[in-house]
Amino acid sequence: MQGWALTALLTLGVASGAAGQSAPVEVDGQIEQLKPGEYLWAPQIAPEGPITIIVSLRLQRAYAYRNGVVIGVSTVSTGAAGHRTPTGIFTILQKDADHVSNIYSDAPMPFMQRLTWGGIALHAGNLPGYPASHGCVRLPAAFAKLLYGVTKLGMTVVITEASAVPVAVAVPPVLAGEVDGLRADYEWRPERSAAGPVSIVISGHDHRLVVLRNGIEIGSTHIRPDSVVPLTVAYTLQSIDASGPHWFRLPLPGQAMPTAAELSAGEEATAHLSSEFGALLATVLAPGTTVLITRDTLRAAGMGQPLTVIASAASGLSK
């Protein structure tokens, strides 16, 4: 069962969007057997903590994690041929329980959670058992309502081709190398964006770390990598407790997910930053913070200018 911390002793309710709640059943094997419109939901397994949603286009499934634990799995219907659902890392930009499309003949999209301003969203809709939408991720109506009730603006949604799931790590290696006395040439202007989801983008090409809040650059600093960054890697901060932060490596489109004991060279690579900047960075870390490590350049970004680090569809009208 894909390595989740769920066992055959755990029971979930299986429900259909049309039929309502049925008697609890054993989890083991049920995910693979879900029929279109069915889902599993057990929020009591992890009552508190940040939520991350992962949608697998290959499996036509959505997985909801709270504090790194699966609390729900649902069948979905994603974009049909010619309207393929984009893959990447997104944040929830808008929520509307009674949304009506302004593009598709006032089509109702209940419990809509917007991922791009170009018309991609999670919402309740018809699930025929195959990709059939105009790009959105359709969910069973009952599951869409339940999910809507536990999510917040700014939380992370990953849409991927893969069937892989997050892997727990103590801390992204690139943030683990704080060094006293390392060159501390940095900018730190948190007042430029006082609130909102935080994204940290690290360029192995530029030897630079950029901090964004609500998509606005609030800080940047020099880093010293130990080796070449061979691939793009993403992490999300699930929780912070007495033992420290708890991070999860997120699956990205086209990447195979390693197990916790099989980290790739890209994940083992360490970069060092000054302890002075590390202390400032710690003041903005919160559950839901995303770290994106890339080998590409960030030089096109200017201080204080919006920088797109969350994947999005082509710009266009809302939906």
Side-chain angles (χ1 to χ4, degrees):
M1 250 188 49
Q2 316 251 5
W4 295 316
L6 299 179
T7 70
L9 298 177
L10 177 64
T11 58
L12 297 175
V14 179
S16 163
Q21 188 76 24
S22 68
V25 297
E26 297 290 347
V27 168
D28 197 20
Q30 287 298 315
I31 292 174
E32 294 79 5
Q33 297 173 20
L34 288 174
K35 297 179 176 62
E38 293 184 339
Y39 64 88
L40 299 164
W41 185 250
Q44 70 276 10
I45 298 172
E48 298 180 352
I51 292 175
T52 300
I53 298 170
I54 296 180
V55 177
S56 169
L57 300 184
R58 181 180 303 166
L59 297 181
Q60 291 290 284
R61 297 285 190 272
Y63 306 87
Y65 293 79
R66 183 151 60 190
N67 231 21
V69 177
V70 179
I71 63 169
V73 182
S74 176
T75 52
V76 303
S77 179
T78 57
H83 300 280
R84 189 167 179 78
T85 301
T87 55
I89 301 177
F90 303 81
T91 58
I92 293 179
L93 303 171
Q94 180 188 36
K95 297 178 63 172
D96 184 354
D98 301 306
H99 188 70
V100 175
S101 173
N102 64 352
I103 297 178
Y104 301 115
S105 304
D106 295 327
M109 296 181 174
F111 305 106
M112 187 276 293
Q113 303 191 66
R114 184 182 299 282
L115 303 181
T116 80
W117 296 114
I120 305 300
L122 308 170
H123 66 78
N126 181 44
L127 278 77
Y130 50 83
S133 78
H134 283 87
C136 286
V137 178
R138 296 179 186 169
L139 305 166
F143 184 83
K145 182 177 181 180
L146 291 168
L147 191 64
Y148 189 94
V150 298
T151 59
K152 295 181 180 179
L153 295 178
M155 58 158 281
T156 300
V157 178
V158 177
I159 301 177
T160 178
E161 291 283 358
S163 55
V165 296
V167 172
V169 296
V171 63
V174 76
L175 296 182
E178 292 184 26
V179 179
D180 291 332
L182 186 67
R183 182 160 59 98
D185 60 330
Y186 65 82
E187 293 280 350
W188 187 251
R189 299 289 299 278
E191 70 277 4
R192 285 184 169 141
S193 181
V198 173
S199 300
I200 300 169
V201 186
I202 299 166
S203 169
H205 183 282
D206 302 339
H207 297 181
R208 203 80 183 159
L209 179 153
V210 176
V211 184
L212 303 106
R213 188 154 55 189
N214 249 3
I216 301 297
E217 186 174 330
I218 64 169
S220 65
T221 188
H222 170 81
I223 61 169
R224 189 182 69 200
D226 285 340
S227 58
V228 175
V229 175
L231 77 168
T232 298
V233 183
Y235 300 87
T236 186
L237 179 56
Q238 285 295 299
S239 63
I240 303 175
D241 57 27
S243 63
H246 300 276
W247 295 85
F248 276 83
R249 150 75 144 96
L250 297 173
L252 293 178
Q255 291 184 2
M257 280 292 294
T259 67
E262 297 175 338
L263 295 181
S264 68
E267 292 172 300
E268 292 175 341
T270 301
H272 306 281
L273 66 154
S274 74
S275 55
E276 183 178 350
F277 187 85
L280 294 171
L281 188 61
T283 66
V284 299
L285 293 181
T289 295
T290 298
V291 174
L292 184 67
I293 305 168
T294 178
R295 58 187 171 187
D296 296 328
T297 182
L298 302 177
R299 287 177 184 166
M303 196 63 189
Q305 298 299 314
L307 175 67
T308 301
V309 295
I310 303 298
S312 64
S315 60
L317 298 174
S318 59
K319 182 175 179 181

